[in-house]
Amino acid sequence: MKIFTLIPQDLLFFRDARPTETSGGHGARWPEPSVIFDAIHAALWRAFPVRQPWEHWHDYGRSSYRPHNGDTQRFGSLTTAGLFPVSHDGQWLFPAPADATPSNDSATFLLRPIKEYPGTPAQQSNLPAPLRYPVGNFSQPTKDPVAPWWSTAAWESYIKGEPPEPSALFTNADLFAGEWTTGIAIDPATQTTGRGETAGKIYSAEYLRLRPDVRCGFLASLRMKQNGDPKALRECICELFAATRIIIVGGQQRPCRVEPWPGQGLPLPRGLHAQADFRRLRTGKYAVKWVLLTPAIWPAIAGETEKSVPAHPGGWLPNWVCPQTGKVLLKYRAGIRRRVWDDQKRRTVRIAEYESEIAAWLVAAVVPKPIPVIGWTERLHLLKDEPHWSEDGAPHGPRPTHFAVPAGAVYYFEADTADDAAKLASALNWHGSEKSEIRNPQSEIIVNRRSTLLGEKGYGLGVCSTWDFYENVAARSQA
């Protein structure tokens, strides 16, 4: 993926899900990941209204009945991640983990799952299934909040179990400010004001203004086949920014300038992945903790008996976790070399993959309140065989509202063996496993996006760490 920064030309507007008519336009907030994806996708269509020589031709529909009449689904390989704040000194920032506390002590700055809590039998717990352990706080009661933005260095300290340096923590006020503006309502049909339904109406809206030298960082990729060869992929996202450096981001058509990032490798913090990285608990299990860097959407799934699809509540619980037992349903993919002869290269080169189960269970979680994800679409992406499409065009309308688990949410797992812990980490870390690093030493690819919906828009990126029980940490601190 290519790395870029976004420099607003003026104020930005990212309205939340609250109706403007009742609560005003609260737009001074950091946007969801889908904002930059939609902005780049729209910019591609504006910059290239007709098919370009570097584009891969793709007819709509499935391969079994594609009409090959020239209709295309363009820019379908676009993927993004961001937006992330970039501080004045070039540090990339990410939302703080939800299990962090204001303490600066290495033994008490994190919440910990509680295995035994006197006087409360386990069967009387009101934890939702499939959670087993509540989470306890070591710190003394305080009204001091945790800094909401942590740099990559702060996250790397957190992943190692060490408290971050104060200089690596940032508040909202360090990055941006909100500005309220009052305006006159305009009739969208006549583009006039002071008449009809808009007579005497005014509105107020809050805009986001970045601090001097603070930017927005994002990652983007548009890989396309060359000459129809699926192995010959070319990165084409730079074709857009060679044609234009200005894109429209957020509400009210706010122009922003895009600049390439000079650094090497992706600036995202990296999680633990080796077998030796994960603590062996007194229960004999191995502890894996997964923390979201970006929001994730796990929708409710209605079961289908005929297709053997079980029902799932979604919401805070990942769709790849069994809602009854907490068993991780993801598969681990490993490569094994087979002796398959290649006539052209005159040697064995093919690598086959096999899947195996991961023996791990979700046992605890710290999940802040959800954030609504809304939007509007012209439905230009609809296929001709879909219900809403017609010869007169696809009707525009609101996108379905989803409730996303916010960035910083923490999920605690127990794995049967150290090998299972490493397999789980390779399936959850955005960068995959150690083998992924060997194949991709500069870490230019996001391997895992563990959001059921909108993963291509940057949802579901996370990193893995390890954890220990509250009682074990308390015993060590007292000793």
Side-chain angles (χ1 to χ4, degrees):
M1 300 190 77
K2 299 298 182 181
I3 313 171
F4 304 92
T5 57
L6 198 70
I7 306 173
Q9 303 297 293
D10 197 357
L11 301 174
L12 295 175
F13 186 74
F14 303 118
R15 189 173 69 84
D16 58 13
R18 288 173 287 186
T20 305
E21 294 81 1
T22 59
S23 60
H26 295 270
R29 65 186 188 93
W30 205 258
E32 292 84 15
S34 54
V35 168
I36 187 61
F37 179 96
D38 296 338
I40 294 177
H41 194 264
L44 285 166
W45 277 96
R46 284 193 298 267
F48 308 113
V50 297
R51 180 174 177 262
Q52 302 297 303
W54 45 265
E55 284 191 63
H56 168 63
W57 188 268
H58 178 64
D59 291 303
Y60 74 86
R62 298 181 179 178
S63 58
S64 59
Y65 59 87
R66 285 177 183 164
H68 301 285
N69 62 356
D71 292 326
T72 63
Q73 298 295 297
R74 302 178 65 197
F75 315 120
S77 62
L78 175 64
T79 58
T80 60
L83 297 165
F84 303 111
V86 181
S87 66
H88 64 278
D89 55 355
Q91 297 186 77
W92 284 60
L93 309 179
F94 306 90
D99 63 339
T101 71
S103 174
N104 291 325
D105 187 272
S106 60
T108 63
F109 87 103
L110 292 178
L111 306 178
R112 312 277 181 173
I114 301 175
K115 186 175 184 297
E116 300 174 357
Y117 40 110
T120 307
Q123 60 270 22
Q124 295 183 7
S125 170
N126 63 353
L127 290 173
L131 302 185
R132 304 178 191 174
Y133 310 128
V135 179
N137 188 354
F138 284 92
S139 300
Q140 296 294 326
T142 178
K143 293 184 178 180
D144 295 334
V146 175
W149 297 101
W150 291 23
S151 69
T152 303
W155 266 89
E156 290 174 348
S157 297
Y158 164 83
I159 291 170
K160 296 176 183 178
E162 303 170 356
E165 295 293 333
S167 59
L169 309 181
F170 296 79
T171 65
N172 288 336
D174 295 330
L175 305 177
F176 56 84
E179 292 188 13
W180 283 91
T181 302
T182 302
I184 303 174
I186 297 177
D187 186 352
T190 62
Q191 294 296 307
T192 60
T193 185
R195 300 177 183 178
E197 295 183 358
T198 62
K201 288 187 176 181
I202 62 173
Y203 71 91
S204 62
E206 187 182 22
Y207 296 81
L208 182 144
R209 182 182 292 278
L210 296 183
R211 299 295 185 189
D213 298 326
V214 174
R215 301 184 178 186
C216 305
F218 69 93
L219 293 74
S221 176
L222 185 66
R223 306 179 75 191
M224 297 241 180
K225 297 178 185 178
Q226 300 302 302
N227 300 321
D229 185 358
K231 295 183 179 180
L233 298 178
R234 177 193 171 198
E235 180 58 74
C236 298
I237 191 64
C238 294
E239 298 288 344
L240 169 63
F241 301 121
T244 177
R245 286 293 183 89
I246 302 297
I247 63 174
I248 305 301
V249 180
Q252 302 191 5
Q253 302 292 291
R254 297 293 174 168
C256 299
R257 189 174 79 254
V258 176
E259 297 289 347
W261 179 255
Q264 296 294 325
L266 304 190
L268 306 178
R270 305 180 63 80
L272 305 182
H273 53 73
Q275 294 185 18
D277 293 335
F278 301 102
R279 180 176 288 108
R280 188 174 189 271
L281 303 170
R282 292 186 178 181
T283 59
K285 307 290 186 179
Y286 288 81
V288 180
K289 180 171 67 172
W290 184 56
V291 193
L292 284 171
L293 294 173
T294 62
I297 301 175
W298 295 303
I301 299 175
E304 295 186 27
T305 305
E306 296 180 356
K307 297 182 179 180
S308 300
V309 177
H312 197 285
W316 68 272
L317 184 65
N319 294 125
W320 37 265
V321 171
C322 177
Q324 289 78 35
T325 65
K327 174 73 166 61
V328 174
L329 305 178
L330 297 173
K331 302 291 186 179
Y332 173 73
R333 291 185 176 182
I336 56 174
R337 188 173 296 277
R338 297 193 307 183
R339 297 186 62 83
V340 178
W341 186 257
D342 190 310
D343 290 331
Q344 295 180 348
K345 297 184 178 180
R346 308 296 296 175
R347 58 189 177 89
T348 56
V349 295
R350 186 177 180 182
I351 295 179
E353 287 190 341
Y354 68 91
E355 294 183 342
S356 61
E357 291 190 356
I358 302 175
W361 286 262
L362 177 67
V363 294
V366 179
V367 182
K369 66 180 182 179
I371 55 176
V373 178
I374 61 174
W376 185 268
T377 177
E378 299 296 328
R379 297 185 180 176
L380 299 176
H381 60 285
L382 290 182
L383 306 179
K384 284 190 175 182
D385 55 355
E386 292 191 22
H388 294 288
W389 194 92
S390 67
E391 292 295 337
D392 296 330
H396 57 263
R399 289 174 176 165
T401 299
H402 299 290
F403 288 95
V405 174
V410 184
Y411 292 86
Y412 303 84
F413 297 88
E414 285 183 341
D416 281 356
T417 66
D419 182 56
D420 287 311
K423 289 180 179 179
L424 179 61
S426 70
L428 297 183
N429 277 321
W430 66 265
H431 52 81
S433 63
E434 186 175 2
K435 293 181 180 179
S436 302
E437 293 181 348
I438 295 175
R439 293 194 299 265
N440 180 36
Q442 293 186 347
S443 304
E444 294 182 352
I445 297 176
I446 292 179
V447 179
N448 297 315
R449 299 166 182 258
R450 286 304 172 196
S451 177
T452 301
L453 299 178
L454 307 185
E456 73 281 1
K457 298 186 179 184
Y459 287 79
L461 307 186
V463 290
C464 288
S465 180
T466 191
W467 58 274
D468 202 354
F469 285 114
Y470 182 98
E471 296 84 357
N472 298 343
V473 177
R476 289 198 299 268
S477 62
Q478 292 175 0

